[in-house]
Amino acid sequence: MAEIAFEELTAYRQELLLHCYRLLGSLTDAEDVLQETLLAAWRGLDGFQGRASSRSWLYRIATNRCLNALRDRGRRVPPAPSPPFQPPEPSRHGDVRWLQPYPDALLEFVPDAAPGPEARYTAREAVELAFVAALQRIPPRQTAVLVLCDVLGYPLSEVAAMLGTTPTAVKGLLQRARASMDHRRAEPPARGSAPERHLVRRFAEAFTCDDIDTLVALLTDDAWLSMPPAPHEYHGAAAIASFLRASAEWRAGRRLKLEPTRANGQPAFTCSLDGEATGVIVLTLTGDGVRGITRFLDGRLQEHFEARRTPCRVE
């Protein structure tokens, strides 16, 4: 019986990891909380009386563990890296510096279960980087309610039971969360389509060659560049070009290499400079250009992407 119960718990491991990631925005934190969740569930098996499904029971534990982590630890903002060159003045300073990418290789192990009838977001929308970042800007309990109701499709009554509150309170949290979300999505090209491959190939060639003019030509009018955990953000083609030129001047003569992969359902690259891992780039695309460049300045993140890579197709 113990072996069967343990197998049932671990069967939900990957979808629970994604759930914790949505609430926390950090894969590192999500992995820590997932371990706490599975341990708490294992210890609580004798008290589980089957009043809810085992999946809902695990989501209740995971959600509350995430909320506890945010409340008890506070939002642990990682120290900003010291730039190796003098960057131009940023357009603004970002407020979600703990954000990390989520490898698509992990998404492949999440069951393709249809969300409940209350869901408002598609599976693709609910994992995109801009959506996860937007979740981090609203209060934690509102985030939890929005994800449980609008992403996973749980009814208000079941979410209320998970959070130990009333359906009326959950409804109020959900209304405030929906009103606060500033996630504005532009439809990207289809995954693996010719338009997506064309944009990704042109970006990679221009970025590695420091062809700033071509990079700027690929950007949409509302394009932005961010670099978690650094707070600097650059908005608009002129500001982005200014930063890219300063970066290119600093690394002149050094070998920059991009390896294609995918993160958050989006095209991405692992980056190395003279053979040293330097982080991950995730692209936010629209139908006609590159809307967002998120460059994660942490070489350790590449460990999550090394097992599986997406081959780069050049047309």
Side-chain angles (χ1 to χ4, degrees):
M1 284 294 293
E3 291 181 0
I4 295 174
F6 182 74
E7 288 179 3
E8 187 172 1
L9 290 181
T10 56
Y12 295 104
R13 182 183 186 92
Q14 292 302 326
E15 62 178 288
L16 288 171
L17 177 62
L18 179 58
H19 178 61
C20 293
Y21 169 73
R22 286 188 178 114
L23 298 187
L24 300 170
S26 162
L27 181 56
T28 302
D29 289 348
E31 290 175 331
D32 290 343
V33 173
L34 174 63
Q35 295 305 316
E36 295 176 10
T37 296
L38 294 178
L39 180 59
W42 175 250
R43 289 173 173 171
L45 272 176
D46 290 342
F48 176 54
Q49 299 177 2
R51 286 191 293 266
S53 70
S54 56
R55 182 173 182 266
S56 295
W57 179 61
L58 287 168
Y59 269 94
R60 177 178 67 80
I61 296 173
T63 300
N64 284 285
R65 288 277 165 168
C66 287
L67 293 175
N68 288 343
L70 292 172
R71 181 181 64 247
D72 296 343
R73 303 172 194 167
R75 185 75 267 183
R76 298 180 300 177
V77 179
S82 299
F85 59 91
Q86 183 60 44
E89 187 66 23
S91 304
R92 69 185 189 197
H93 289 85
D95 56 351
V96 188
R97 290 167 45 194
W98 57 85
L99 189 68
Q100 292 181 340
Y102 197 91
D104 273 23
L106 294 178
L107 294 174
E108 294 177 11
F109 298 102
V110 177
D112 190 20
E118 305 297 322
R120 290 189 168 202
Y121 295 96
T122 66
R124 177 169 180 170
E125 289 175 310
V127 76
E128 288 176 351
L129 202 55
F131 177 78
V132 176
L135 287 174
Q136 308 311 306
R137 296 188 177 97
I138 62 178
R141 283 179 70 83
Q142 290 183 27
T143 299
V145 166
L146 185 82
V147 170
L148 291 169
C149 292
D150 285 0
V151 174
L152 298 174
Y154 280 109
L156 295 178
S157 58
E158 197 162 351
V159 174
M162 289 181 184
L163 299 179
T165 186
T166 66
T168 300
V170 169
K171 184 177 181 180
L173 288 168
L174 184 59
Q175 289 173 339
R176 291 194 292 276
R178 288 171 177 170
S180 299
M181 284 290 282
D182 60 358
H183 172 58
R184 294 179 295 276
R185 183 177 189 263
E187 189 65 31
R191 174 173 177 152
S193 65
E196 184 189 74
R197 295 197 305 271
H198 178 68
L199 278 173
V200 171
R201 176 180 59 81
R202 291 189 67 198
F203 175 88
E205 290 174 350
F207 195 86
T208 53
C209 295
D210 293 322
D211 183 352
I212 309 303
D213 290 339
T214 296
L215 284 172
V216 169
L218 294 175
L219 300 176
T220 61
D221 292 339
D222 58 348
W224 44 265
L225 165 68
S226 62
M227 294 169 288
H232 300 66
E233 290 186 4
Y234 296 88
H235 292 255
I240 294 171
S242 176
F243 175 83
L244 292 176
R245 288 194 177 93
S247 177
E249 182 178 338
W250 166 75
R251 92 170 161 261
R254 304 179 70 184
R255 182 169 177 264
L256 174 67
K257 184 178 181 181
L258 301 184
E259 288 282 358
T261 184
R262 295 192 73 90
N264 297 80
Q266 301 167 234
F269 305 91
T270 58
C271 311
S272 62
L273 188 62
D274 287 343
E276 180 181 353
T278 57
V280 177
I281 294 176
V282 180
L283 299 181
T284 298
L285 304 181
T286 66
D288 59 354
V290 177
R291 185 184 184 194
I293 305 169
T294 307
R295 184 167 187 179
F296 295 93
L297 302 175
D298 186 349
R300 294 169 298 179
L301 292 174
Q302 294 184 210
E303 298 174 3
H304 297 289
F305 293 86
E306 288 176 350
R308 304 182 65 172
R309 296 192 187 277
T310 302
C312 186
R313 297 178 59 180
V314 178
E315 296 184 332

